[in-house]
């Protein structure tokens, strides 16, 4: 059976017809992922769609054509230069019911129900007429190859005849796209007959023109004649776009544009250059492009803000659960902005792990205020020209991200999100952070100048909101100007509430389902959270819910029955497959040489188990796992600390001399969080050297000095929430971090015992010195200590 859902490949500079093949080379990672997906799940099939707007890089799925060609990936080859070469065979033209988009992957739901059935005689009549016309056409048109006719003569179905002819006959790209979009082969046949007829007519006129124009011509005259010829042909076809009319339209548009007088004068100047320009000059397109971009920008177009902050609040509450502190900060900010008429209010920066609602909350602020919304991402930007544009003298120049964002916004006072400001980099091409500073600075941004536009553009009424994952990775100069609002990981309880109150209703609506159609039993969401996701936010959780609903919709359609579904712990695997994260009960009592640290990772907080073992050697320290330099230093420091206190810890000093010690951090992909693992590394070594198990429900975090003083750490809230999720119930934290305990949600805090420590000895006394232990001697058994 054919796939009812297929991943979509957007093709921009080629066409794929049924019964033909194309060869493509991919080097984008996303395209390669698409190929792998097609290979793994869709029997090597994809849907090839040509977007309506070829220039739009990331078209809206609602603007994609409702028709495409099912393509079969016949050959796929990875090349040494990193590209992937594929051959795709066009199978059939299909109607698309809906498109869905997840991450960057577009998926189409295909309607196979409309099969074309033609009366036999009619089909034959059309084939014959087409063949006859093609015969005439081939004889008349000198450039036409005469191999097409024999091919067509051997075919029996109109759909095949029309597709092969439409592919082979000369025609513009857009005309070919029209053929692809036409489901009826009869209509296609008629289009072909029309096209051939029109071509023959043009040819006739061309011959007439040829006869009229005589004599020997020098090059200039030849050019002139060619232009005349095109003009005459266009006039004959009646589709002439008179340049004069175009100029007049542009002039009227410029006159009515609400831009500054200076910008208007510049536009008029550019227009007069455009007017006298030789149509063959390459500069012509550049000038037209410039005029078009300036005219497409919003000028003097403002929406009116909703001034009632109660309404704004209730709208925010409707879209986002909780986040009370954040919402309050935002409302205060809006109040001040209203009171001061927007003068000099600092820019808000929402900081927090992925999926906790930064972008969607900002979008919701826009909707609540009644403003338009636009978003750019500056993650990975290393060239300031990407922000402020390239000069027009530069080949392929274009306006920067800010002006592009304004164009998308369509008004001059949108809410403008700048995502990932902590992920910009700096290189020889300039510092994007300082370019961004200019954009955000209320002193300067009323007269922002993009290098491409070269005219002042007022950004002072724009409400910029920036987002970042890590506060300390935001360039310092930028951080100074921002009003930081932190969003932190959600607890399991919060996630459950968000799921029931927001995500499930939202996804039900997006899947065209009613509340009564699907019931999620109590507890099943918790299983989803615990066993299928590992994240600070709720993005993955939302995706899981969407996956379940998608499968239900599919079943509805296949069976034709509107059953009521109940999602329980027992049938969850049917929808989502095996559990992805399982907490291992057998490890509950801990092992010698393994202690849990706490880490601040991109998915919020997590447990960071550190392991150590030793074996005969020369007293060396071996470190593995992806440890950063700071963590390596911590390890050396811990060992020195233990050596200097060996007597107090009842450790036989000769063990340290005659053995090599190996420390490993299995999930140590958090090098920048190095120093806070200090106390954990020391405890791991002590557990090993004193042969003491540390219970797995104990965790710790803290930087250590050589004298054992425990220094404060960052990200305590995320770490504690992550640790709680992983089953930790007792945590050692630096005393100086006591103040941060206030920010930890009560439901987490009440289940964890916190022990405040000033010096490492406080931890030692709790864990290792309850009764005086006999130190381990350097015997054979120690060598056998398992690594896990
Ligand atoms: P971020 O920008 O922080 O990475 P998003 O704003 O993209 O996160 O949020 C991811 C998804 O989670 C969105 O669909 C959003 O609606 C949902 N979401 C996050 N937090 C909440 C919340 N507090 N209430 C309701 N939905 C939320």
């Amino acid at each position: 059976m054919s796939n009812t859902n297929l991943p979509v490949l957007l093709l921009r500079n080629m066409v794929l017809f049924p019964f033909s093949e194309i060869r493509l080379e991919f080097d984008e990672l996303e395209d390669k992922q698409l190929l792998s997906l097609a290979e793994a799940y869709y029997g090597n099939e994809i849907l090839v769609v040509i977007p309506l707007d070829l220039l739009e890089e990331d078209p809206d799925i609602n603007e994609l054509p409702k028709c495409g060609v099912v393509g079969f990936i016949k050959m796929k080859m990875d090349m040494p230069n990193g590209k992937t070469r594929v051959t795709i065979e066009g199978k059939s033209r299909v109607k698309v019911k809906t498109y869905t988009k997840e991450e960057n992957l577009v998926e189409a739901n295909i309607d196979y129900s409309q099969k074309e059935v033609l009366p036999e005689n009619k089909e034959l009549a059309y084939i014959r007429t087409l063949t006859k016309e093609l015969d005439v056409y081939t004889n008349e048109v000198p450039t036409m190859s005469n191999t097409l006719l024999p091919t067509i003569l051997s075919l029996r179905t109109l759909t095949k005849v029309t597709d092969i002819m439409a592919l082979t006959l000369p025609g513009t790209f857009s005309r070919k796209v029209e053929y692809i979009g036409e489901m009826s082969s009869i209509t296609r046949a008629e289009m072909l007959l029309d096209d051939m007829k029109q071509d023959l007519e043009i040819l006739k006129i061309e011959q007439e023109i040829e006869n009229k124009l005589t004599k020997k011509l020098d090059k200039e005259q030849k050019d002139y004649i060619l232009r005349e010829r095109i003009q005459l042909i266009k006039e004959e076809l009646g589709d002439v776009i008179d340049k004069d009319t175009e100029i007049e339209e542009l002039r009227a548009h410029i006159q009515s544009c609400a831009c500054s007088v200076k910008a208007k004068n510049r536009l008029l100047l550019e227009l007069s250059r455009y007017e006298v320009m030789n149509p063959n000059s390459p500069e012509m397109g550049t000038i037209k492009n410039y005029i078009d971009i300036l005219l497409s920008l919003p000028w003097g177009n403002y929406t009116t803000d909703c001034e009632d902050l109660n309404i704004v609040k209730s709208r925010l509450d409707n879209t986002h659960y909780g986040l009370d502190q954040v919402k309050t900060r935002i409302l205060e900010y809006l109040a001040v902005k209203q009171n001061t008429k927007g003068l000099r209010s600092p820019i808000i920066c929402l900081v927090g792990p992925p999926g906790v609602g930064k972008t969607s909350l900002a979008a919701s602020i826009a909707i609540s205020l009644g403003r338009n919304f636009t978003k750019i991402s500056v993650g990975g930007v290393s060239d300031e020209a990407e922000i402020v544009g390239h000069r027009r003298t530069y080949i392929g120049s274009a306006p920067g991200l800010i002006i592009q964002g304004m164009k998308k916004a369509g008004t001059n006072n949108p809410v403008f999100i700048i995502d990932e400001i902590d992920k910009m980099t700096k290189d020889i091409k300039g510092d994007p952070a300082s370019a961004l500073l200019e954009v955000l600075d209320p002193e300067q941004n009323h007269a922002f100048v993009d290098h491409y536009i070269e005219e002042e553009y007022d950004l002072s009424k724009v409400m910029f909101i920036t987002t970042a994952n890590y506060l300390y990775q935001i360039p310092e100069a930028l951080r100074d100007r921002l009003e930081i609002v932190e969003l932190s990981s959600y607890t399991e309880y919060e996630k459950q509430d968000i799921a029931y109150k927001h995500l499930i209703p939202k996804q039900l609506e997006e899947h065209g389902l009613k509340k009564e159609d699907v019931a999620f039993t109590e507890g099943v969401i918790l299983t989803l959270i615990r066993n299928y996701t590992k994240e600070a936010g709720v993005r993955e959780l939302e995706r899981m819910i969407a996956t379940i609903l998608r499968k239900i919709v599919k079943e509805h359609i296949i069976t034709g029955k509107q059953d009521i579904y109940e999602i329980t712990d027992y049938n969850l695997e049917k929808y989502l497959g095996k559990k992805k994260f399982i907490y291992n009960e057998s490890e509950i009592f801990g092992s010698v040489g393994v202690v849990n640290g706490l880490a601040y990772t991109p998915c919020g907080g997590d447990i960071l188990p550190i392991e150590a073992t030793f074996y005969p050697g020369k007293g060396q320290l071996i470190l593995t796992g992806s440890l950063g330099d700071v963590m390596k230093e911590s390890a050396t420091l811990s060992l020195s600390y233990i050596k200097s206190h060996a007597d107090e810890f009842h450790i036989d000093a000769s063990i340290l001399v005659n053995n090599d010690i190996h420390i490993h951090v299995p999930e140590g992909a958090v090098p920048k969080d190095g120093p806070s693992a200090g106390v954990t590394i020391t405890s791991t070594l002590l557990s090993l050297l004193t042969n003491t198990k540390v219970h797995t429900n104990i965790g710790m975090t803290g930087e250590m000095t050589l004298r054992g003083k425990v220094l404060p750490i960052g990200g305590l809230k995320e770490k504690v929430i992550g640790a709680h999720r992983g089953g930790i119930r007792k945590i050692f934290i630096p005393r100086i971090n006591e103040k941060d305990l206030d920010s930890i949600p009560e439901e987490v805090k009440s289940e964890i015992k916190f022990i405040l420590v000033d010096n490492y000895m406080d931890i030692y006394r709790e864990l290792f010195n309850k009764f005086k232990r006999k130190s381990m001697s350097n015997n054979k058994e120690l060598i056998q200590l398992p690594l896990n």
Side-chain angles (χ1 to χ4, degrees), residues 505 508 513-519:
L508 281 172
L513 291 165
K514 288 197 286 301
K515 209 169 86 204
E516 310 76 68
D517 292 340
V518 188

Side-chain angles (χ1 to χ4, degrees), residues 16 33 57 65 70 84 131 149 230 260 278 306 331 376 380 435 472 511 528 567 610 646 660 671 680 722 742:
L16 174 67
Q33 284 171 342
E57 266 210 23
V70 176
T84 302
T131 326
L149 190 62
I230 294 166
S260 66
N278 182 331
C306 164
L331 290 170
I376 61 166
Y472 293 100
H511 286 79
L528 259 180
I567 311 297
I610 296 184
D660 287 345
T680 321
D742 290 346

Side-chain angles (χ1 to χ4, degrees), residues 319-321 355-360 490 498 506 538-539 542:
T319 54
H320 282 76
Y321 165 90
V356 293
K358 298 180 296 297
T359 320
S360 55
Y490 292 122
I498 295 176
K506 180 166 143 204
V538 290
R539 193 174 289 155
E542 186 170 17

Side-chain angles (χ1 to χ4, degrees), residues 230-248:
I230 294 166
Q231 186 70 12
L232 276 171
I233 294 167
K234 281 185 169 175
E235 272 172 23
E236 197 67 34
L237 287 171
D239 65 356
V240 58
I241 306 167
D242 192 350
K243 194 173 169 196
D244 293 346
T245 330
E246 186 196 11
I247 302 268
E248 277 327 301

Side-chain angles (χ1 to χ4, degrees), residues 274 326 353 389 634 662 665:
Y274 180 66
V326 181
S634 291
H662 183 162
V665 185

